[in-house]
Amino acid sequence: MEITTLQEWLGTDKPLIVSGPCSAESYEQVMQTAIALRKIPEVRIFRSGVWKPRTRPKGFEGVGSEALLWLKDVKKETGLLTAVEVACAQHVEEALNSGIDVVWLGARTVVNPFLVNDICNALKGTDIPVLVKNPLHPDVNLWIGAMERLNDVGITKIVAVHRGFFYYKNTEYRNQPMWEVVIELKRQFPNLPIINDPSHIGGKRSVLLQIAQKAFDLELSGLMVETHINPDEALTDSQQQITPEQLADMLSKIVYRKGFSEDKTDNKMELLRQEIDKLDAELLDILNKRFNIIKEIGVYKKNNNITILQIERWREMFKNRLDIAQNMGYDSAFIKSLINIIHEESIRLQEDIFNDEDI
Ligand code: PEP
Ligand code: MN
């Protein structure tokens, strides 16, 4: 991909901070938010959703084209660059006609190469910067694909936005960060600026700083944060929006550990930690499988009047595991206590089965 760097585009290597409301709701809300954001020097781009398709119909779906005029005024009044989400060719045309400076593709659009193609065709011939959110599901190629399509029509000011991924379980966050996907994107395209959207990852205010800090620890290039002059009254995503003052406070708390140096130590450590996380999950999974079999044996013993502890079998097992472990170079004191602790838990599980009157 041919990428125009942030330095070439904005004339600075400082983190790129994009901020503004989830949705434009009224002229006053947009303008007051922008005027307050203007006081934060790090904020370069004012974002605002204009068309807001919701998961279910009948919610607030954005005020539409009218808000493009409000953004024109924002630009005049504050000098901030303005950005809106475009989800079809018509949005692109309207945004371009209204002098919007930057557009972004949302997570629901990036999943659909047909839509991305239509949008690219509408953008052809311009060199407007495009922010590309990650698709809803963690498919790095789909994300890359959207950026390549933009590149194919001549767009080179491309910024990837990490907004987390849909996860089938409820977790602490609204969308899972899955940092490994971001690291893979960074590995393949070292020049591509990637910023982080803690608002859509976190889904709530209390976690924004910790997510943003992590993004900078992985050497990402900036943030997109949703701000609202009165977040509690916001018509969309009110839980995750903060006031411009809270954004200023959050930015002041971020520690820029290594600046944007060439030192990749943090990155390496992150990769290694992810390996550890995976291995621990596998370990727990294997242990769980073992305990499930232990329980089956417990049921068999109970039904056949066999004692829980079979001392000969236990002696043999202990010796056999110790031999294997010693051949692998384990410390024998460590391995003895590990074997014992697993055995104790196995006995406890079988005792539970013996005491269970339903078995
Ligand atoms: C947004 O930025 O307001 C938005 C809808 O984001 P996403 O596409 O990441 O859900
Ligand atoms: Mn939002």
Side-chain angles (χ1 to χ4, degrees):
M1 267 194 284
E2 189 196 334
I3 299 293
T4 303
T5 63
L6 291 180
Q7 169 72 43
E8 288 163 331
W9 165 28
L10 293 166
T12 168
D13 252 350
K14 292 213 176 104
L16 171 64
I17 309 293
V18 181
S19 189
C22 178
S23 311
E25 298 166 8
S26 69
Y27 184 85
E28 289 70 32
Q29 168 247 5
V30 165
M31 194 54 90
Q32 285 172 15
T33 308
I35 288 171
L37 285 172
R38 187 67 199 106
K39 299 188 191 121
I40 309 175
E42 292 97 322
V43 177
R44 319 277 308 216
I45 302 178
F46 182 77
R47 63 147 280 158
S48 178
V50 166
W51 300 280
K52 298 297 296 188
R54 310 299 296 284
T55 305
R56 303 195 48 187
K58 300 198 177 68
F60 172 69
E61 300 224 304
V63 295
S65 318
E66 186 190 355
L68 296 172
L69 299 173
W70 307 344
L71 291 173
K72 238 184 201 170
D73 277 5
V74 161
K75 189 173 169 174
K76 220 181 326 163
E77 187 73 27
T78 66
L80 290 166
L81 299 173
T82 53
V84 298
E85 174 177 349
V86 290
C88 61
Q90 191 209 329
H91 293 166
V92 173
E93 271 152 37
E94 291 195 35
L96 293 174
N97 288 339
S98 309
I100 293 292
D101 302 289
V102 175
V103 294
W104 86 82
L105 307 191
R108 290 158 193 77
T109 304
V110 176
V111 291
N112 185 338
F114 287 113
L115 270 181
V116 173
N117 262 345
D118 281 353
I119 291 170
C120 287
N121 288 334
L123 288 168
K124 204 173 189 159
T126 74
D127 72 343
I128 191 168
V130 183
L131 316 181
V132 184
K133 297 250 190 155
N134 63 253
L136 291 174
H137 47 283
D139 179 347
V140 76
N141 285 324
L142 204 49
W143 198 2
I144 294 170
M147 294 187 271
E148 285 173 337
R149 286 188 156 88
L150 287 162
N151 218 208
D152 286 348
V153 296
I155 303 287
T156 61
K157 292 174 192 139
I158 299 175
V159 178
V161 185
H162 169 226
R163 51 79 76 199
F165 301 90
F166 175 80
Y167 196 58
Y168 70 102
K169 277 187 202 157
N170 279 338
T171 64
E172 187 195 2
Y173 293 153
R174 178 178 176 191
N175 290 292
Q176 280 301 101
M178 298 196 192
W179 299 99
E180 65 275 22
V181 178
V182 181
I183 291 168
E184 175 57 18
L185 183 65
K186 214 170 154 53
R187 190 187 65 75
Q188 289 193 40
F189 301 95
N191 294 333
L192 173 72
I194 308 175
I195 65 172
N196 177 265
D197 172 348
S199 309
H200 288 90
I201 291 177
K204 53 180 185 259
R205 293 166 200 149
S206 58
V207 292
L208 300 182
L209 174 61
Q210 75 192 46
I211 300 166
Q213 181 64 60
K214 171 102 177 178
F216 285 114
D217 289 345
L218 289 178
E219 297 188 318
L220 295 202
S221 303
L223 300 173
M224 179 190 269
V225 184
E226 286 187 340
T227 47
H228 191 290
I229 199 71
N230 188 359
D232 288 332
E233 300 296 319
L235 298 179
T236 54
D237 288 351
S238 84
Q239 301 295 309
Q240 71 195 30
Q241 300 207 58
I242 54 177
T243 62
E245 291 71 28
Q246 286 167 326
L247 174 67
D249 181 55
M250 178 175 120
L251 293 176
S252 74
K253 289 184 175 138
I254 289 173
V255 184
Y256 299 98
R257 293 212 162 82
K258 291 233 159 53
F260 293 91
S261 74
E262 285 307 300
D263 188 341
K264 293 283 180 273
T265 334
D266 283 356
N267 228 333
K268 173 144 193 232
M269 180 115 128
E270 183 60 27
L271 286 171
L272 291 172
R273 283 187 170 152
Q274 286 184 8
E275 283 298 305
I276 292 289
D277 292 350
K278 264 190 243 151
L279 289 172
D280 281 352
E282 279 173 35
L283 263 178
L284 291 173
D285 187 51
I286 288 177
L287 210 49
N288 195 34
K289 287 191 180 119
R290 186 187 197 278
F291 287 139
N292 284 337
I293 295 176
I294 287 292
K295 287 186 212 159
E296 266 188 58
I297 296 177
V299 174
Y300 184 86
K301 284 177 176 166
K302 183 172 184 183
N303 291 339
N304 292 280
N305 267 335
I306 300 172
T307 54
I308 289 181
L309 186 64
Q310 310 274 304
I311 200 72
E312 258 326 295
R313 159 85 179 144
W314 167 229
R315 255 197 217 113
E316 256 169 50
M317 261 178 70
F318 191 88
K319 186 173 174 322
N320 165 276
R321 304 321 186 243
L322 199 58
D323 286 349
I324 296 174
Q326 278 173 344
N327 281 336
M328 293 168 101
Y330 277 100
D331 174 79
S332 74
F334 163 73
I335 220 67
K336 280 179 191 164
S337 56
L338 183 67
I339 301 170
N340 270 320
I341 205 164
I342 292 175
H343 188 242
E344 275 162 30
E345 176 65 359
S346 303
I347 289 185
R348 194 190 63 77
L349 289 171
Q350 293 193 345
E351 277 170 354
D352 275 358
I353 286 172
F354 272 51
N355 294 333
D356 187 340
E357 282 167 13
D358 294 333
I359 294 174

